[in-house]
Amino acid sequence: MIFEDDGYYFGLGAFETIAVEDGHPVFLDEHLQRLQRAMDFFSLDTTLEEIKLRLRETLAQPEIASGHMVLKITVSPKNLLLRYRKNPYTEVDYANGFIVGFSDILRNETSPLTYHKTLNYSDCLMEKRRFLKKGLQEPIFLNTKGYLCEGATTNLFFVKDGQLYTPDLSCGLLPGIMRDYLCKTYSVHTCELLPEDLSTFDEMFLTNSLLGIMPVRDFQGYRQFSSGKTADRLLEVYRGFTAFS
């Protein structure tokens, strides 16, 4: 039973979306730690012990035990919901790469909500749907100062002369689990990036927990990226890691 509460009425709640490979949640501890931070931010009473109990029950379901699946945990003042579905990304997506473009909506780097995965998700969802209708896979947000910050559902990475770059957290973006993995595993330069900087990069790719690492083929209005070799290499290493994690 689902109860009406401030999560339903006002978006005062949090969620995590976790990749599940053959029944094994990827980066589960990291997702639960981020969820705990959001629950603390909203002063939610649900405990990690309750969530872990429900997790064991959910992961015991045969439908989630094999293949590429997605587990979503949603927490609000009166609700704890766990749902699962198939991971929508296919090898065709990685072979083609994403087409992206700038959204007209600005990220508010001064809002604490920007740095948590909350139920205040309308900007992301509506822009994502609008871009998909235009044949673009991801809207990219600037912040109020004009710096690149993140996609609707992704973090941004760029490559120049073999060096990785990503917008600094202070630009106003969700600290993604995959972003954190790459920053801890490789040498990544965090910085402020302007739209005109796009022409200086050799490659661009996006990250999140479901797609892993996705090359960008075309940033409409700015440049096309002919190479995705770095994204391909990093994705291969990441898949090898998740196979044994």
Side-chain angles (χ1 to χ4, degrees):
M1 183 175 181
I2 301 175
F3 300 96
E4 295 181 5
D5 61 14
D6 284 349
Y8 173 80
Y9 288 117
F10 305 115
L12 301 184
F15 74 97
E16 285 292 322
T17 308
I18 306 170
V20 181
E21 299 294 336
D22 294 326
H24 300 285
V26 180
F27 289 128
L28 178 60
D29 289 343
E30 289 81 357
H31 280 285
L32 292 180
Q33 290 167 11
R34 186 171 67 178
L35 181 59
Q36 181 68 72
R37 292 193 294 270
M39 292 192 300
D40 292 342
F41 172 74
F42 283 119
S43 298
L44 302 178
D45 294 330
T46 301
T47 66
L48 285 184
E49 287 70 24
E50 294 175 78
I51 295 173
K52 289 177 180 178
L53 176 61
R54 293 284 299 278
L55 267 171
R56 288 194 291 270
E57 296 171 352
T58 302
L59 292 172
Q61 301 300 313
E63 295 88 349
I64 200 172
S66 63
H68 307 295
M69 302 294 289
V70 177
L71 175 67
K72 184 172 182 178
I73 306 172
T74 305
V75 186
S76 62
K78 295 182 180 179
N79 294 285
L80 170 59
L81 305 176
L82 281 76
R83 299 288 187 269
Y84 56 86
R85 55 186 169 86
K86 290 184 177 181
N87 193 320
Y89 297 106
T90 68
E91 290 304 318
V92 174
D93 295 313
Y94 298 96
N96 291 338
F98 271 13
I99 304 174
V100 305
F102 279 123
S103 168
D104 294 328
I105 296 173
L106 300 180
R107 271 289 186 263
N108 181 5
E109 72 278 3
T110 71
S111 171
L113 294 174
T114 299
Y115 303 94
H116 296 286
K117 203 170 182 70
T118 78
L119 302 184
N120 293 266
Y121 211 66
S122 296
D123 277 351
C124 296
L125 185 59
M126 294 178 70
E127 280 296 271
K128 182 83 170 182
R129 290 175 176 176
R130 187 172 72 87
F131 270 58
L132 286 172
K133 288 181 180 179
K134 299 191 300 181
L136 282 72
Q137 285 75 44
E138 185 77 346
I140 305 299
F141 295 109
L142 300 172
N143 67 14
T144 63
K145 298 178 180 178
Y147 293 116
L148 280 78
C149 44
E150 63 181 350
T153 62
T154 58
N155 289 124
L156 317 179
F157 282 84
F158 302 90
V159 184
K160 179 166 59 177
D161 298 328
Q163 172 67 50
L164 299 177
Y165 296 82
T166 193
D168 191 81
L169 286 176
S170 63
C171 293
L173 53 107
L174 181 75
I177 302 299
M178 279 298 302
R179 179 186 185 276
D180 188 56
Y181 158 76
L182 288 175
C183 288
K184 289 180 177 178
T185 307
Y186 302 96
S187 173
V188 180
H189 182 53
T190 60
C191 55
E192 295 176 336
L193 298 171
L194 293 166
E196 50 262 39
D197 295 325
L198 289 170
S199 63
T200 68
F201 292 109
D202 306 315
E203 300 178 51
M204 176 182 179
F205 59 88
L206 308 176
T207 65
N208 71 24
S209 293
L210 300 191
L211 55 80
I213 300 167
M214 178 65 69
V216 171
R217 173 166 59 90
D218 187 353
F219 201 126
Q220 288 208 333
Y222 285 85
R223 72 160 301 170
Q224 294 181 337
F225 296 96
S226 58
S227 173
K229 61 181 182 180
T230 301
D232 292 342
R233 176 175 56 83
L234 296 177
L235 181 61
E236 183 178 2
V237 173
Y238 168 69
R239 285 176 169 173
F241 166 77
T242 59
F244 297 98
S245 63

